[in-house]
Structures are given as structure tokens and as C-alpha cells.
């Protein structure tokens, strides 16, 4: 799909992979709206790319509906939807302190999985009435973010892996359902990505993580996620699939 002059929404666009994707899309002439709970951080990225920052809680239907309406008012209906919003989580199902609190598990599922679906359904509904584009007669594309933890979750990742596994599982049925409307659905499953989360670990721990990646032996860069987003948008035959972005990494139990 031709990106220039299209409108896009990116959840979790205030940092990391979302921010890198926002910069990439803006360079391609896309009108970008950043949906994030951190409005101040989103505004900094929006100012940099001449985009729009919108406060949005992806777990709340009204919040997403309101954010989508605001973005559409400013940029027109979005043909591109990138779901990067999510949280990481590590805690054993049962530890010395006892069973994991159920609300803790629920929170991870609500933000990562329910939040992704919430944005998908609103974005797809807004894409359906749009005129088709190009030879492939596309109306839009939705790209979600899972994780290699969906396949090789480590000890302590039951909640996180379940949330990302759900995103992997909904990819194909969502693509099949939306195919009749010319809307594609894809998912990227990153491995270890050099986001702000890794700034808190020691150099020794970072080196150990980098050594786990077969090639290239380093953490992935947020810009490499953005590169894959661009390829997915531009290639109409990419649909209903999950692409790992991990340098052939396969996570060990711990």
C-alpha cells in the first residue's frame, strides 16, 4: 500500500519501537497520531515529526473511541494501525510469597491482549467504509506486536507469554475476517530489542543477553522494527502471518 498522505495511529508511540515507527512513517509522508497514556512523552515525539499526540488508555473502549475520533478529525480516517502499547511482566505463578495475585495476571492480559483487540476493532470499523487503493484494492493494514515469549516463554513469564500468545493466535482469524474488506492483519514478534527497559540493567547483564542472540550478536534496534513495519505496509501479500524479529534467538527456560 502506498503510504504517502495516509493517516496512521500508533499505540505506545511515545517511546521505543512505537516512536521509531512514528519517525519512519512521518518520513514517508504519513500523518501520524500517537496514542499513549503518557501524553507528555507522546507530545515530544509528535512535535519532532509534526504529528498528533492523544491521551489514550487502550483497555478502555471509550478512551480508544474518543482518541480515534480526535485523530480522524485532525488527519482523516487512518488506513494504518500499529499496536505497540504493552507492558512487560515477570513473576512466577507460585513463589515463596504464594500464588501470583490474580489481578496482576489480569492487568497484563488487559493491557497487552485486550488493549490490542480494542484498538483493532475500532481501527477496522473506521477503515471499512474507505475507498479502496491500488491494484490490490486495499483499505488498510493493522500491525500488532507480540513477542518471542509467545513461543518460548521463560520461567516467570506465564502472564506475559499468555498475553502475547493471544496476539499471535488472533492474527490469522482476524486477517480472514477482514479480508473481504481489503484490510490486512499482521503481527511482529520481536526478540530482545534495545528499548528504554534495557537502560536499567548492568553492562554485564546486557552483554549476557546479547550473547544469547545467534546473529547478529546484539539487541535489535527499534529502527529495525520500524523497517519491518514499512515492508509489511508496502507488500500487499503479507497478510495473516507472524514474523519473528529476533536474530534466530530461541529463549531458554531461564
Amino acid at each position: 500500500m502506498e503510504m504517502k498522505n495516509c493517516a496512521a495511529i500508533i499505540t505506545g508511540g511515545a517511546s521505543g519501537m512505537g516512536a521509531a515507527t512514528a519517525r519512519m512513517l512521518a518520513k514517508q509522508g504519513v500523518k501520524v497520531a500517537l496514542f499513549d497514556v503518557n501524553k507528555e512523552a507522546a507530545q515530544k515525539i509528535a512535535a519532532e515529526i509534526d504529528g498528533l499526540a492523544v491521551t489514550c488508555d487502550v483497555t478502555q473502549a471509550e478512551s480508544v473511541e474518543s482518541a480515534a475520533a480526535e485523530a480522524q478529525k485532525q488527519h482523516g480516517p487512518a488506513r494504518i494501525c500499529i499496536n505497540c502499547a504493552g507492558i512487560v511482566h515477570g513473576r512466577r505463578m507460585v513463589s515463596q510469597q504464594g500464588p501470583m495475585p490474580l489481578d496482576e495476571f489480569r492487568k497484563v492480559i488487559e493491557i497487552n491482549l485486550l488493549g490490542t483487540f480494542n484498538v483493532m476493532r475500532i481501527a477496522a470499523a473506521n477503515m471499512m467504509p474507505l475507498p479502496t487503493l491500488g491494484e490490490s484494492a486495499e483499505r488498510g493494514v493493522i500491525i500488532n506486536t507480540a513477542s518471542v515469549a509467545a513461543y518460548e516463554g521463560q520461567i516467570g513469564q506465564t502472564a506475559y507469554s499468555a498475553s502475547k500468545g493471544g496476539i499471535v493466535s488472533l492474527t490469522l482469524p482476524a486477517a480472514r475476517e477482514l479480508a473481504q474488506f481489503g484490510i490486512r492483519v499482521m503481527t511482529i514478534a520481536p526478540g530482545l530489542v534495545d528499548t528504554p527497559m534495557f537502560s536499567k540493567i548492568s553492562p554485564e547483564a546486557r552483554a549476557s543477553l546479547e550473547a544469547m542472540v545467534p546473529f547478529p550478536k546484539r539487541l535489535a534496534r527499534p529502527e529495525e522494527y520500524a523497517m519491518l513495519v514499512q515492508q509489511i505496509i508496502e507488500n500487499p501479500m503479507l497478510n495473516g502471518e507472524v514474523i519473528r524479529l529476533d536474530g534466530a534467538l530461541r529463549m531458554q527456560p531461564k
Side-chain angles (χ1 to χ4, degrees), residues 16-33:
M17 294 180 292
T21 301
R23 294 185 182 102
M24 178 278 293
L25 290 176
K27 288 180 180 178
Q28 299 298 322
V30 177
K31 295 171 285 188
V32 180

Side-chain angles (χ1 to χ4, degrees), residues 75-152:
H75 292 164
R79 291 184 182 271
I80 300 167
C81 173
I82 316 294
N83 280 305
C84 290
I87 59 173
V88 294
H89 180 269
R91 182 166 180 158
R92 289 175 182 254
M93 182 167 40
V94 182
S95 66
Q96 292 180 342
Q97 289 73 43
M100 180 195 303
L102 187 59
D103 282 347
E104 195 169 319
F105 185 92
R106 182 180 289 115
K107 179 181 179 181
V108 179
I109 297 297
E110 284 186 346
I111 295 174
N112 292 357
L113 179 56
L114 185 147
T116 294
F117 178 79
N118 191 19
V119 176
M120 285 179 70
R121 69 188 185 93
I122 300 300
N126 290 336
M127 291 176 189
M128 286 178 185
L130 301 179
T132 59
L133 298 176
E135 180 186 0
S136 297
E138 287 190 75
R139 287 190 169 90
V141 58
I142 299 170
I143 302 173
N144 299 324
T145 306
S147 166
V148 297
Y151 304 99
E152 302 109 34

Side-chain angles (χ1 to χ4, degrees), residues 29-105:
V30 177
K31 295 171 285 188
V32 180
L34 306 174
F35 291 8
D36 207 290
V37 291
N38 189 338
K39 179 100 181 254
E40 184 178 351
Q43 285 174 328
K44 290 180 180 178
I45 303 297
E48 177 187 333
I49 65 170
D50 194 25
L52 174 69
V54 185
T55 302
C56 180
D57 179 350
V58 296
T59 68
Q60 300 301 313
E62 298 81 4
S63 182
V64 174
E65 290 164 4
S66 175
E70 183 176 344
Q72 182 163 325
K73 182 179 179 181
Q74 296 292 326
H75 292 164
R79 291 184 182 271
I80 300 167
C81 173
I82 316 294
N83 280 305
C84 290
I87 59 173
V88 294
H89 180 269
R91 182 166 180 158
R92 289 175 182 254
M93 182 167 40
V94 182
S95 66
Q96 292 180 342
Q97 289 73 43
M100 180 195 303
L102 187 59
D103 282 347
E104 195 169 319
F105 185 92

